[in-house]
Amino acid sequence: MKSVTSSDLARINERPLYELECIVLKSDQTTFVLNNSNFAINPLNFSCSGDGSLPLGKAISKECVLTIKKNSNYGKEDFVDAKIAMYVSIAGNSTSLFYEIYYVYDVTQTDDTITIRAHDAMSRLDRIWVPPSEGIPIGQRTLRDLVQRVAYDCGLSATVASFPHDDFVYTHLPYGYTGRELIGYVAMISGGNAFCKVAHFFDDIRIEIKPLSQQQHNDLTKFIGNVDVGETVSVTGLITHRVIDIDKNPQDPAQYSVGNEGYMVELSNPLLWGKEIQCL
């Protein structure tokens, strides 16, 4: 076995396994490009957040951190409120593959570097959704309609892919929840999680709700707080509670369950109110 010399390391660093290119869309709608030569360290650091410890019934948001060298062509202010389109290619291959769109939310700098923190389109839904004052007709209260309405009202123009149980009709309008929480509740009824996918440069955002059986490994890579059970667990049943007072009066609610005692998963979901048994 040959030892890796300093010259070997230098050649490896000169020819990484992949190369990253970022097109930055500034808040004034002008653009500039970042490539591997601009990055101060390994360019990508990703994490995922699903608002909880168990990746079921969550709206998954991806986050990235970029650390770049200071340059006369750009400064900290150029990244404030910017959008970043990422393209990845294999070193030496001129063909780039579109990867993801990220929205910058924090920029810091030192004497030598600028650190950019950004998250994907799902983060746009982290605001309280307010139902229309005139209400929503029962005929428009399907889960798919709710996802479309919540996304639009939260400022995210997105199409919604079909998903299991997207025609389920909820009874009561939910109040006091963020758009992301509500889409997570929709995903729970579908038996999976929700993701934002972008097909093109700053265009064609698509919300996908995937049952667990259809999710890929990279959908949940580095999921924050993911539970490590350590052994195979068979879910034997489901439990939910009927909220007696829709205004969240702290009364003891009625309990509904299906399945057998053993390892039972409890579902807490405002979209189930009045239809607990049907949904279970």
Side-chain angles (χ1 to χ4, degrees):
M1 180 179 293
K2 180 182 178 181
S3 299
V4 178
T5 65
S6 57
S7 60
D8 290 330
L9 288 174
R11 284 194 294 271
I12 291 171
N13 289 331
E14 290 172 357
R15 190 175 180 81
L17 295 179
Y18 68 89
E19 295 177 350
L20 177 69
E21 181 177 87
C22 296
I23 301 178
V24 180
L25 177 64
K26 296 166 56 175
S27 58
D28 65 3
Q29 303 304 301
T30 59
T31 63
F32 62 94
V33 176
L34 299 174
N35 55 41
N36 270 29
S37 66
N38 299 115
F39 297 112
I41 59 175
N42 184 15
L44 285 180
N45 178 17
F46 286 107
S47 65
C48 296
S49 170
D51 271 349
S53 60
L54 179 66
L56 171 64
K58 305 299 179 183
I60 307 297
S61 179
K62 295 179 180 179
E63 179 174 311
C64 76
V65 179
L66 300 173
T67 302
I68 62 175
K69 304 170 187 175
K70 293 185 72 173
N71 189 301
S72 59
N73 295 326
Y74 53 76
K76 174 182 175 181
E77 65 279 358
D78 291 314
F79 295 97
V80 175
D81 296 326
K83 301 175 185 178
I84 301 176
M86 294 184 178
Y87 294 82
V88 178
S89 63
I90 298 174
N93 189 329
S94 60
T95 302
S96 296
L97 301 176
F98 174 77
Y99 184 73
E100 187 63 88
I101 296 289
Y102 285 91
Y103 300 79
V104 176
Y105 70 88
D106 182 67
V107 186
T108 57
Q109 69 177 7
T110 65
D111 292 339
D112 301 315
T113 63
I114 299 173
T115 300
I116 303 152
R117 290 176 171 83
H119 38 205
D120 71 356
M122 187 66 78
S123 64
R124 306 287 295 278
L125 304 176
D126 283 327
R127 62 184 71 180
I128 296 295
W129 179 68
V130 180
S133 57
E134 68 276 12
I136 300 175
I138 290 295
Q140 298 177 20
R141 290 192 185 184
T142 67
L143 294 183
R144 186 171 185 177
D145 287 335
L146 179 64
V147 173
Q148 191 75 67
R149 184 185 294 270
V150 166
Y152 179 81
D153 290 347
C154 289
L156 182 64
S157 179
T159 58
V160 180
S162 60
F163 55 90
H165 313 305
D166 59 4
D167 58 350
F168 177 86
V169 177
Y170 58 95
T171 303
H172 297 284
L173 284 178
Y175 289 86
Y177 299 93
T178 66
R180 185 171 161 194
E181 287 175 322
L182 288 173
I183 290 178
Y185 288 134
V186 170
M188 179 186 291
I189 296 174
S190 182
N193 297 298
F195 305 86
C196 274
K197 306 291 184 181
V198 184
H200 303 290
F201 182 55
F202 303 126
D203 191 17
D204 195 15
I205 298 173
R206 181 180 175 92
I207 296 176
E208 296 182 356
I209 295 177
K210 299 180 181 179
L212 290 177
S213 60
Q214 296 179 11
Q215 290 174 32
Q216 304 298 315
H217 176 265
N218 59 0
D219 285 329
L220 296 174
T221 298
K222 296 185 179 178
F223 185 91
I224 293 175
N226 198 4
V227 175
D228 183 8
V229 176
E231 59 181 276
T232 301
V233 173
S234 297
V235 175
T236 60
L238 301 173
I239 301 174
T240 191
H241 294 87
R242 171 77 181 274
V243 177
I244 305 300
D245 188 339
I246 299 304
D247 295 324
K248 302 183 180 179
N249 192 309
Q251 303 181 50
D252 290 333
Q255 177 177 293
Y256 299 94
S257 65
V258 294
N260 303 309
E261 292 186 1
Y263 188 82
M264 303 189 75
V265 175
E266 182 172 350
L267 304 180
S268 177
N269 190 328
L271 299 177
L272 302 184
W273 294 346
K275 289 194 171 183
E276 291 85 357
I277 296 178
Q278 176 188 342
C279 187
L280 291 179

